[in-house]
Amino acid sequence: MKFDFTEKQVDPIKLANIAPVLIKKLDANIKEQAIVITAKSFYDQHLIYYKEGKPNIPDWLENCLKKHKDILVVDDVDSLSKDDQQCFYELLKYNQLSSIKLPIKLKIFIVFKDFKNIGETLARLCLVSE
């Protein structure tokens, strides 16, 4: 895909098709099409594990699958420490959790308030749009 980097606004959905997008402000219409969670919620639910012989998947992923939504918005990522932001690595880099490939390819938007609070690893895995 070829981009024209003049002053035209690039569609965030097109960017998210290429790579996860680290963005300062996201349009409400995109949030309406998405599963929206907080960074803290993701941090608490970023693993798939087996319990009583059945896989236990995070609620947000189950909602994506049930509602047939392929857009995930994670709000307030800079509320997590830079070390805790490492929990996004596997999802952003490989589209997987706990080494299990996700059954859908997610378009991921990571929303921040202050870029200086974003860890270097997280920033390197995303396209940045302020």
Side-chain angles (χ1 to χ4, degrees):
M1 177 178 273
K2 194 173 185 180
F3 284 107
D4 177 6
F5 290 102
T6 57
E7 297 202 17
K8 291 188 263 181
Q9 186 74 17
V10 177
D11 179 14
I13 298 291
K14 285 184 181 178
L15 290 177
N17 279 323
I18 298 168
V21 178
L22 191 58
I23 192 164
K24 191 163 189 167
K25 186 174 181 328
L26 194 60
D27 292 340
N29 66 332
I30 294 175
K31 284 189 173 188
E32 288 172 6
Q33 302 172 51
I35 297 295
V36 181
I37 61 172
T38 65
K40 174 74 169 111
S41 177
F42 182 86
Y43 180 79
D44 292 340
Q45 298 184 52
H46 70 279
L47 301 173
I48 296 175
Y49 59 93
Y50 282 84
K51 185 176 181 180
E52 299 173 6
K54 295 181 181 180
N56 188 0
I57 66 171
D59 292 338
W60 61 265
L61 178 55
E62 191 171 326
N63 286 337
C64 287
L65 296 171
K66 282 182 181 177
K67 296 178 181 180
H68 303 286
K69 294 196 175 197
D70 66 347
I71 301 173
L72 177 66
V73 174
V74 181
D75 272 330
D76 299 325
V77 71
D78 46 350
S79 67
L80 295 178
S81 71
K82 290 179 181 180
D83 286 338
D84 287 347
Q85 291 173 20
Q86 296 291 331
C87 72
F88 292 97
Y89 183 84
E90 194 175 24
L91 175 66
L92 299 178
K93 177 111 176 146
Y94 301 109
N95 194 51
Q96 64 186 32
L97 298 174
S98 303
S99 298
I100 298 171
K101 191 82 170 152
L102 298 185
I104 57 174
K105 174 67 174 116
L106 293 172
K107 296 174 190 78
I108 303 170
F109 293 95
I110 309 288
V111 182
F112 67 93
K113 291 181 182 136
D114 190 348
F115 191 75
K116 72 178 180 184
N117 296 326
I118 301 299
E120 183 178 326
T121 301
L122 181 64
R124 286 183 179 191
L125 292 172
C126 299
L127 295 171
V128 179
S129 177
E130 284 201 51

